């Protein structure tokens, strides 16, 4: 009782030593900041191989041995955290003692688990350098730091493994994967019991940091160092090739590469262009022409005012949203006869076909409205470069493409220049272009250069904006 929870206050993404009780917890804020590293851990070949049951037994045996060595240091860190905990927090001391006991019990179960895999934990085999680096960091922190700082170095392990276990189990269950040798390992960390322990450690970090007046900057430094050690633990000694090797990566653009949907950028650019130019003084189309087949032609011939563009765009948005909802409602009412765990290819193809027809019709409506007519192509890429990308997007795409994996960025967009500009790729003038949907040849990287090759497929873009093609293959010459 009486424990004030430390809160995360971090305006603009930069750490400040100020605690704001009205915002989220410090532990959650640190986990959010560490998301790119957690993402890299989840998709590391070693972790993925465990989740899929394809990891060689020898690699898993080596991992179990290293993990047992690490758990011994983790146990000692709990002991230091207890001895350094303020006497004014007896409840925290008791909870830390419970966690220490749980860790000791886990180490005993770990030994029994290892024995089933033929791993001798008491062997004289020295720990790997990455394991020593992690345990040295953890024990040095435990010996020289406060309880809150010790927990900042320990919490990443607990939260990361809960995240890895649950993510792998959900993914494997969704795919209808069969049971494999590492199910028990995945299930241990995907369990509600382990999630409860991880959440408890996070709550204790919040409570002790508040009681000890800890610096957010110091906690963040320890937390991020531990996360980097976690990744190095996977990467340095269990770095296996993808099995099977990845032959192609297709990735959606809006909401996957980008933080937000990019659809509003082009109309905003059209409004900006219209605002910077005087409206053309030409006759307005007659009522008959407005209602007839020449409406689209007149929309292109005369320059729309900024107010007209905004009005028409809002009407298009409403029309699209209502139509999309009605279509999805009708599609999702169809009864699924496919047994659980099996993919209904025919049903999925039919659904995607109907969605494609609707998207095509929606693009035709944009063409008819003329809201994007006259936007200079050369302004699109610079404007798109300001769009926010997800933290791991470019590093992931660039690393895969640089390693020889063909990358396809797919978007139902009106401009491939927008996609290029957002991803900071060269202009289409620097590479061959095509409006075809068929895959383009994937050229080999030049000697002594790891080049990244991306293909962007943006259907119907040429219909909507003059001079903008659909699919392109470009080289990103920046080093990995």
């Amino acid at each position: 009782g009486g424990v004030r929870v430390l809160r995360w206050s971090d305006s603009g993404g930069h750490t400040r030593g100020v605690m704001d009780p009205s915002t989220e917890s410090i532990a959650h804020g640190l986990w959010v900041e560490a998301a790119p590293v957690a993402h890299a851990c989840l998709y590391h070949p070693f972790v993925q191989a465990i989740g899929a049951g394809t990891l060689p037994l020898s690699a898993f045996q080596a991992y179990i041995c290293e993990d047992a060595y690490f758990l011994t240091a983790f146990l000692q860190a709990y002991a230091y955290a207890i001895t350094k905990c303020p006497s004014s927090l007896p409840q925290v001391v008791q909870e830390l003692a419970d966690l220490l006991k749980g860790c000791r019990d886990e180490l005993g179960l770990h030994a029994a688990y290892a024995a089933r895999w033929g791993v001798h934990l008491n062997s004289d085999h020295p720990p790997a350098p990455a394991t020593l680096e992690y345990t040295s960091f953890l024990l040095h922190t435990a010996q020289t730091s406060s309880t809150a700082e010790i927990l900042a170095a320990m919490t990443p392990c607990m939260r990361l493994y809960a995240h890895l276990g649950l993510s792998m189990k959900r993914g494997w269950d969704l795919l209808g994967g069969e049971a494999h040798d590492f199910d028990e390992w995945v299930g241990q960390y995907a369990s509600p019991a382990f999630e409860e322990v991880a959440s408890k450690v996070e709550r204790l970090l919040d409570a002790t940091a508040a009681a000890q007046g800890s610096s957010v900057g110091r906690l963040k430094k320890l937390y991020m160092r531990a996360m980097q050690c976690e990744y190095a633990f996977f990467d340095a000694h269990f770095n296996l090739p993808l099995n099977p090797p990845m032959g192609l990566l297709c990735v959606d653009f809006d909401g996957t590469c980008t933080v937000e949907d990019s659809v509003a950028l082009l109309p905003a650019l059209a409004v900006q262009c219209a605002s910077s130019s005087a409206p053309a003084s030409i006759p307005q189309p007659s009522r008959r022409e407005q209602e007839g087949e020449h409406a689209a032609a007149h929309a292109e011939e005369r320059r729309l005012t900024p107010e007209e563009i905004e009005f028409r765009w809002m009407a298009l948005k409403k029309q699209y949203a209502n139509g999309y909802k009605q279509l999805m409602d009708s599609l999702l009412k169809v009864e699924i006869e496919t047994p659980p765990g099996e993919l209904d290819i025919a049903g999925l193809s039919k659904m995607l076909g109907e969605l494609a027809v609707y998207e095509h019709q929606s693009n035709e409506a944009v063409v008819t409205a003329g809201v994007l007519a006259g936007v200079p192509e050369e302004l699109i890429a610079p404007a798109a470069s300001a769009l926010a990308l997800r933290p791991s997007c470019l590093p992931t795409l660039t690393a895969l493409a640089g390693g020889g994996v063909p990358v396809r960025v797919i978007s139902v967009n009106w401009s491939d220049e927008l996609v290029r500009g957002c991803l900071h790729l060269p202009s289409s003038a620097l590479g061959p272009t095509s409006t075809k949907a068929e895959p383009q040849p994937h050229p080999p990287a030049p000697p002594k250069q790891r080049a990244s090759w991306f293909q962007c497929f943006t259907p119907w873009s040429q219909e909507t904006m003059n001079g903008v093609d659909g699919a392109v293959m470009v080289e990103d010459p920046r080093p990995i």
Side-chain angles (χ1 to χ4, degrees), residues 45 93 132 135 163 183 210 253 285 369 382 403 405 431 448 455 465 478:
V93 172
L132 279 176
T135 55
H163 171 65
D183 276 344
F253 179 67
V405 177
K448 299 183 179 180
Q455 181 175 355
M465 301 187 64
R478 295 171 299 168

Side-chain angles (χ1 to χ4, degrees), residues 435-461:
T435 56
K436 296 181 180 180
E438 292 83 4
Q440 302 296 313
H442 180 61
K448 299 183 179 180
Q449 180 180 358
R450 299 180 67 190
S452 302
W453 297 88
F454 294 89
Q455 181 175 355
C456 169
F457 175 44
T458 52
W460 313 309
S461 61

Side-chain angles (χ1 to χ4, degrees), residues 13-337:
H14 299 287
T15 302
R16 298 180 179 182
V18 179
M19 308 308 163
D20 181 3
S22 66
T23 59
E24 60 189 342
S25 78
I26 185 72
H28 179 73
L30 291 171
W31 172 246
V32 170
E33 288 240 357
V37 184
H39 184 80
C41 288
L42 176 60
Y43 289 98
H44 191 281
F46 173 74
V47 175
Q48 288 292 298
I50 287 183
T54 59
L55 186 73
L57 178 58
S58 60
F60 190 73
Q61 289 172 327
Y63 165 76
I64 291 295
C65 191
E66 299 294 328
D67 196 41
Y69 185 91
F70 170 79
L71 280 177
T72 302
F74 207 75
L75 191 67
Q76 295 178 55
Y78 269 132
Y80 277 105
I82 292 172
T83 60
K84 296 187 175 186
C85 188
S87 58
S88 58
L89 301 177
Q91 182 181 352
V92 173
V93 172
Q94 182 58 54
E95 290 188 273
L96 285 172
D98 293 340
L99 288 170
L100 185 148
K101 181 180 182 300
C103 184
R104 185 182 291 115
D105 293 342
E106 181 185 356
L107 195 56
L109 292 173
H110 210 72
Y113 182 54
R116 294 202 303 271
W117 287 95
V119 178
H120 302 288
L121 301 182
N122 295 325
S123 66
D124 295 329
H125 181 73
T131 308
L132 279 176
E133 180 181 355
Y134 196 175
T135 55
S136 296
F137 155 71
L138 186 61
L139 292 176
H140 176 75
T141 302
Q143 294 165 2
T144 61
S145 305
S146 65
T147 297
E149 291 168 344
I150 296 171
L151 289 174
M154 298 177 70
T155 303
C157 174
M158 305 300 293
R159 175 48 57 202
L160 177 65
Y161 271 69
H163 171 65
L164 296 180
L166 189 58
S167 297
M168 285 189 288
K169 186 177 187 307
R170 284 177 175 173
W172 195 243
D173 290 346
L174 183 64
L175 292 173
E178 298 179 355
H180 56 72
D181 291 339
F182 309 126
D183 276 344
E184 185 178 355
W185 185 93
V186 175
Q188 175 184 353
Y189 296 110
S191 67
F194 192 83
E195 167 61 32
E196 183 179 348
V197 173
S199 297
K200 178 184 287 189
V201 175
E202 289 177 322
R203 291 195 301 271
L204 294 178
L205 169 58
D206 288 341
T208 55
Q212 296 179 317
S214 303
S215 161
V216 177
R218 170 65 175 162
L219 297 178
K220 178 181 176 180
K221 183 178 180 180
L222 293 167
Y223 196 102
M224 295 304 295
R225 173 72 187 282
M227 285 294 293
Q228 293 291 347
C229 286
E230 288 287 348
Y231 181 84
F233 191 76
F234 295 136
D235 189 61
H237 309 290
F238 315 109
N239 194 8
L240 305 172
L242 288 173
N243 184 26
M246 186 181 293
L248 176 69
L249 174 68
C250 294
V251 58
D252 177 50
F253 179 67
D254 282 312
T256 302
C257 291
T258 63
V259 175
E260 298 179 348
D261 198 298
S262 67
V263 70
L265 186 144
L266 291 173
L269 196 57
V271 169
Q272 179 183 336
C273 293
S275 300
S276 61
S277 304
S281 57
I282 61 173
Q284 296 292 317
S286 67
R287 183 183 186 86
R288 178 175 177 277
E289 290 172 327
Q290 287 179 341
E291 298 175 351
E293 60 184 4
H294 301 294
H298 276 285
E300 294 179 358
E301 289 173 3
R302 75 182 186 89
R303 182 177 300 153
L304 297 176
T305 65
E307 292 75 18
E308 287 176 314
I309 294 174
E310 291 177 342
F311 178 81
R312 294 188 183 192
W313 177 246
M314 292 301 296
L316 287 168
K317 284 179 60 179
K318 184 177 180 180
Q319 176 183 323
Y320 176 85
N322 291 339
Y324 185 84
K325 183 180 184 303
Q326 292 175 7
L327 176 60
M328 290 303 298
D329 287 345
S330 66
L331 291 174
L332 295 177
K333 285 181 181 178
V334 178
E335 293 186 5
I336 300 176
E337 300 179 355

